[in-house]
Amino acid sequence: MPISAANRHDPRLVRVDDSWLRLPNPYDVPVEICAGPDVPVEPVAVDELLTVLETADTLRTLARAVPGLDPEPRVERVVCTPDFHKGAGIPIGTVLRTVGALIPQAVGNDVNCGMRVEATSLTVDQLRPHLDRLERRLRHLFFAGGRRIGLTARQREGLLREGLPGLLADGVPADPVGAWRQVGPDDLADLDGRLHATGFPVDSAEDFRDWIASGGGTSYDSIIGSVGGGNHFAELQYVAEVRDGATAYAWGLAPGQVVLMVHSGSLSLGHQANATGRDLARAGWPRAVPLPRNRILPIPLDERTAPARRRYLTAFGNAANFALGNRFFLALMLRAGLAEVAGELRSRLVYDAPHNLLWPEPDGTVLHRKGATPAAGPGGDGQRPTDLYGEPVIVPGSMGAPSYLLRGLGSSRALASACHGAGRSIPRGAASRGGDAELDAFLREFRVVTPVDHRDPAVAARRDIVDAWRRDLKQEAPWAYKEVGPVVRSLGRAGVAEPVVELRPLLTVKG
DNA sequence: ATGTTC
């Protein structure tokens, strides 16, 4: 193989085989990166991985300083996905299994950032003639006053405490307005949780009283129905290629079928929950232990920290539930646009997958995912349709690029986790490449609907707004991301997940 | 990643 930027790896990494790299370390923590020889690994991200190892050392210090911790805190295993790249603190694409402690900062700031995919009853041939009009309608629905998601305090509290079952406990409002009009029998039928996570039961929502109250009665707020920034989007796609016919059929996907894909998180609620976790970890930090240099503070799983953990996990669960609800409403908004231009349609959930979550287990282990997606294999309790074929793994491409739907294979080496995208080739915040004309041509070609309509002369006159918007959007341009193909092939070769369908974009709404 | 609406 020729030496190129794409196959040079950081010298600190040891290639184990075609699928895995290992980071040797003095803490005896298994650290492995799932990446083929054609997937470049950012040295800066490897630097950050060393701070994860400092956290392994922090847990040892805690175990010595706080007597009687049972089980003794330690980092059991670290796995990085093929799209692993630099983030704030712990790299994005890091899966961490700990024993005897949880680490709020090992979850991305945006709690339960994730994907929702729905299969519609429309075909790409039916939709193509209406794309110009759809683009205009979606701009109105997402960015120009068309959102109109009214929620009662009861619905808000239900959502934060139970997720979608709580939101929809009383069914659809008697006189539905806006996105609510798109709720159909399939949405209510899926609420038994057999297909996917519909909610995380938590016993209160005290940290979010302001959002719940929001003026009383049926009220509107500035958060629900927002796409969010960065790499978040709401997209219409179609099934371009079927790679695994049996699984595609079981998941209700056929060639040419129009699919909705939403990538979004918990917006400000997740940030608030994470800040709560960080503050509680700091407030409860044992005086005998110096603050770790990397500022990543674990919370040991003992009696002393029980009230703090309960408070954090409640806020965390509230935020995670909000994200499920927001993705649901974003999908309803896409459905509303489709219904306006192509007539009434059916749309059914394929899967909702989280990227940023932690899972405390009764045995004292905690699985943390930051920018990685679950990829459980076939099996489970056999009660869910997905148990037959493995968990749906949604890998979005960068703007304009194909996305993939894979089936998880439950690799224990990979901590049953897959990548959540192609991964950046240019870190966020680095100088963005490409001229304005190049960006504009790209946005037109791929029908990218954005909040700033720079073709409107009144908007174009606001240079400061347009410049800031272009700067941010260039960070999400395809040239800021790796190619998704080699990343997806790495997952297959490693036995993490296998492709089921390839999806190509028709129209993208960027927040 | 970071509240764009009645």
Side-chain angles (χ1 to χ4, degrees), chain A residues 254-481:
Chain A
Q257 190 169 355
V258 172
V259 165
L260 316 183
M261 182 177 281
V262 172
H263 181 201
S264 188
S266 45
L267 299 159
S268 59
L269 283 78
H271 293 255
Q272 190 181 322
N274 236 2
T276 298
R278 270 199 309 275
D279 293 349
L280 291 168
R282 189 158 301 145
W285 195 252
R287 287 213 183 84
V289 183
L291 278 180
R293 278 190 311 144
N294 66 5
R295 300 273 159 172
I296 295 170
L297 305 187
I299 303 179
L301 303 182
D302 65 329
E303 274 307 309
R304 186 185 57 89
T305 64
R309 288 205 317 275
R310 187 184 170 89
R311 164 99 191 276
Y312 165 60
L313 290 173
T314 298
F316 181 86
N318 294 150
N321 285 334
F322 174 85
L324 285 166
N326 200 45
R327 287 196 282 276
F328 176 61
F329 278 114
L330 291 169
L332 295 179
M333 289 156 66
L334 287 177
R335 289 187 208 172
L338 287 173
E340 283 186 41
V341 302
E344 289 306 315
L345 71 152
R346 294 190 315 281
S347 190
R348 174 141 196 162
L349 180 71
V350 175
Y351 208 59
D352 186 289
H355 294 159
N356 294 345
L357 275 185
L358 56 75
W359 289 261
E361 298 293 338
D363 67 357
T365 60
V366 185
L367 184 68
H368 308 70
R369 289 194 179 97
K370 178 178 177 183
T373 198
D381 57 11
Q383 296 300 299
R384 314 184 316 164
T386 54
D387 289 343
L388 281 176
Y389 299 95
E391 185 167 26
V393 172
I394 304 161
V395 179
S398 58
M399 260 198 298
S403 296
Y404 294 87
L405 210 54
L406 302 94
R407 62 183 201 97
L409 299 173
S411 161
S412 56
R413 187 173 185 179
L415 296 173
S417 302
C419 58
H420 77 324
R424 288 182 172 279
S425 57
I426 300 174
R428 189 186 294 287
S432 45
R433 208 163 59 64
D436 292 355
E438 192 183 353
L439 180 71
D440 288 358
F442 172 79
L443 297 180
R444 264 197 309 279
E445 183 182 350
F446 288 96
R447 290 188 189 277
V448 182
V449 176
T450 64
V452 175
D453 185 2
H454 63 291
R455 280 168 285 186
D456 177 340
V459 175
R462 296 293 311 275
R463 288 299 309 186
D464 50 338
I465 292 176
V466 175
D467 287 349
W469 163 75
R470 281 188 200 284
R471 202 172 47 243
D472 287 351
L473 205 56
K474 281 180 189 173
Q475 309 245 313
E476 303 308 320
W479 49 86
Y481 280 83

